[in-house]
Amino acid sequence: MNNIMIGQYVYGNSWIYKMDPRAKVLLTILLIVIIFLIPNLYGMLIAFLVFLLIFLSTRVSILRVIRGLKPLLFLLIFTFILQLIYNTEGELLYTFHMQIGLFNLLILIGVLIFYFLTKKFIKLKILYTLLIFAAEFLILWFVKFDLLCWANFDFNVYDSGLMNASFVFLRIIMMIGITSLLTLSTMSMDINNGLEWLLAPLKLIKIPVSVFSMTIALTLRFIPTLYEESKKIMNAQASRGVDFQEGKLKDKVTQIISLLIPMFVISFRRAEDLSNAMEARGYIIGAKRTKLDELKFRWRDYIAFVVCLACLGLAIWSNFIG
């Protein structure tokens, strides 16, 4: 469950916890817009350093965000390598003379088998996976056999490709960090209130904003809950001899079905319990609701808006001069 950041609230007492949730939702959107307006790597590096300092000042655990990158690790590496391969503009920085053949392939397969056999014993799985990727690359680069060699090829790294790869990599990291900061420092009901306020103009065209925002908040809230339930079911089935990591394709399909059916049952049961609890507390769909805590913008919210708008203006100006 620690790897699931969406919907997880971590108690804290820093300045970001004291901000108005409406301000946090709106600032998250503005910061994502700013990220996409930054035109080059140098601007992205400055933005990343500023964001890192802000993140550290919130006293939110950065290790949670790093662990949450695990599901996106393959995407990050694949995007980085793809940019290096297909961007051949600019100055040539280095050429890697590489080879692929029978012996190289056998070594690569051996390293992968070793990885899958040992990864369950490693705590820092993200770092371990990165080391395996680096080992695979070094095998293709250094290990060369003239016998049963299929192809020799060059992997050229250009300055433009390296800059674009780093630019995209930092952009994805910052987007994940900003959205994680919102969910880690804001309770689901506060996110609901912020979304409802932000979407309030849609009431003019008869869109049920309160229902829509409540749906989003409940979705975010139950993602870690359902993940925890799935872990319990997998552990219970593993105690009965089910192995989700091994077996043929047919066996894995059967194992997934045996996991999905109780998950659907639990989801419907939790949805029914939730609806009964909301009705018992007087919740009526479409009815006008009052708030237990009245939201109010304070000085820290206005300062955050001013800083964010200044960054937005700077990002727009940098696009014009670039």
Side-chain angles (χ1 to χ4, degrees), residues 285-299:
I285 298 177
K288 187 176 180 180
R289 299 170 54 211
T290 58
K291 306 292 184 183
L292 180 62
D293 298 320
E294 292 293 332
L295 300 177
K296 183 179 180 181
F297 286 107
R298 302 185 183 277
W299 60 268

Side-chain angles (χ1 to χ4, degrees), residues 205-221:
I205 55 177
K206 306 299 181 181
I207 292 180
V209 172
S210 60
V211 177
F212 182 70
S213 58
M214 177 66 74
T215 303
I216 295 177
L218 291 177
T219 302
L220 292 174
R221 169 63 184 85

